[in-house]
Amino acid sequence: MLVEQKQPNMGRRGLVVGNYCHDVLIRNDVVLGETLGGAASFVSNVLDGVSIRCDLVSKVGSDFAYSVAHPPIAVPTSPTTLFHAFFDSGSDGEGACDRVLKRVRFCGAIEPSDLPESRFNFGMAVGVAGEILPETLERMLDICEVVFVDIQALIRVFDSSDGTVRLVGLKESGFFHLLPRVGFLKASAEEAPYVDVEEARKWCCVLITNGKEGCTLYWKDGEMQISPFPTVQIDPTGAGDSFLGGFVAGLVQGLAVPDAALLGNLFGSMTVGQIGLPKFELRLLQRVKDEVQRRKMQSMSCCEDSNDDLKFVKPAGHQQFHSSLAAAKLASTAPLQECQWDLRNSPPRAVEQGIPQYTGQQKLLLNPVYEEPIQSVEGTQ
């Protein structure tokens, strides 16, 4: 049962599984920006920032355009996975966007044989393009003490003609039988209806992120709302991925589940305040690490029970921990103006031959693109 799971030991490393991608944002046939994509890039960015050791398994093609801290598996016969996000300005006068996400190219699946012949303290299944197979997740469950799963790795399907991304119910995904072995399942509020939270919470802890409202934890015996961190949203891309990275980092460093969720909310809020893969100021990261260590010691001194079981009750001082993390964020001197581009004064670039060329440039946004949920497949629950 979930409550019998042990606190991850930070002395051992984790395994992050999911492909890097090329992401291209397009409005009215004009390329607004290009960026390194894939949940694995955002997750590893957070784990590296707080010094959590991890191995990363990702596949890319010979056209991969970015330098990364965790080298991927190069597949010379396949292109790097490519997503196009098409969106148009809404007609409501408020700048709302309708988004269609398409998988244009697919590097290939991550097979069980691609995973290391090792054991890991924790695993994270964070695919975005259907690259994680049921047998690959099963292998992760075999070699990792606890596995965290982002639901988008399981329920995305792709139109055979143009690659349009849609969602299917978890029960129809081919992964449902593995749910009793999953430790934590993360989904956005838009993805939650495809999970059946009431069923899933019987087997694992379910984390539902809800943007500016923070997140909600669901487990067999209860549920809990975790407070957000106010922020100015520039680009919501990757916020859920950074949340999951922060949450796992908190657990690995000994925090109770509610405190770890606060750390997740913090990294999610810092991600939406920047464009593309966020850059976290070193001084900020050090202060966050200090606050986490202080919180861990405080919690240990307050608890007579010294076992390592995961705790779902808000420890004394939870709100103060929130305030301390908020103060650390506010004290950061990271120049947000570097991220705040004005597209109206930026020269647009037309899509050439259907597939843009990669320049490694920062992603530029006028309005948030990823706030609209991906539409479901008709007839699914």
Side-chain angles (χ1 to χ4, degrees), residues 149-163:
V149 177
D150 192 323
I151 195 63
Q152 68 181 350
L154 313 185
I155 65 171
R156 282 187 172 185
V157 294
F158 308 91
D159 187 271
S160 59
S161 61
D162 66 0

Side-chain angles (χ1 to χ4, degrees), residues 320-331:
Q320 179 57 45
F321 183 50
H322 180 280
S323 299
S324 297
L325 292 177
K329 179 184 175 185
L330 287 174

Side-chain angles (χ1 to χ4, degrees), residues 10 17 23 38 48 54 79 104 143 149 163 287 327 345 357:
M10 70 179 299
V17 180
D23 285 351
D48 291 343
C54 69
V104 179
I143 64 177
V149 177
R287 182 163 176 180
N345 296 323
Q357 299 299 307

Side-chain angles (χ1 to χ4, degrees), residues 259-299:
D259 286 348
L262 272 183
L263 193 62
N265 282 349
L266 175 71
F267 277 101
S269 71
M270 292 193 296
T271 296
V272 302
Q274 300 186 42
I275 293 176
L277 192 67
K279 295 180 180 180
F280 302 125
E281 185 189 23
L282 291 178
R283 190 176 71 171
L284 167 64
L285 290 172
Q286 186 57 55
R287 182 163 176 180
V288 169
K289 287 191 282 187
D290 291 344
E291 292 295 344
V292 168
Q293 185 62 24
R294 186 178 298 111
R295 179 59 176 159
K296 176 185 176 181
M297 300 305 296
Q298 180 187 49
S299 297

Side-chain angles (χ1 to χ4, degrees), residues 74-100:
V75 183
T77 57
S78 297
T80 300
T81 299
L82 167 64
F83 279 97
H84 282 185
F86 295 89
F87 61 103
D88 298 297
S89 297
S91 58
D92 58 5
E94 298 182 357
C97 297
D98 290 325
R99 188 260 307 233
V100 175

Side-chain angles (χ1 to χ4, degrees), residues 53-75:
R53 295 170 58 212
C54 69
D55 289 7
L56 189 147
V57 178
S58 177
K59 287 185 175 180
V60 300
S62 59
D63 61 336
F64 187 56
Y66 298 92
S67 175
V68 291
H70 300 271
I73 299 170
V75 183

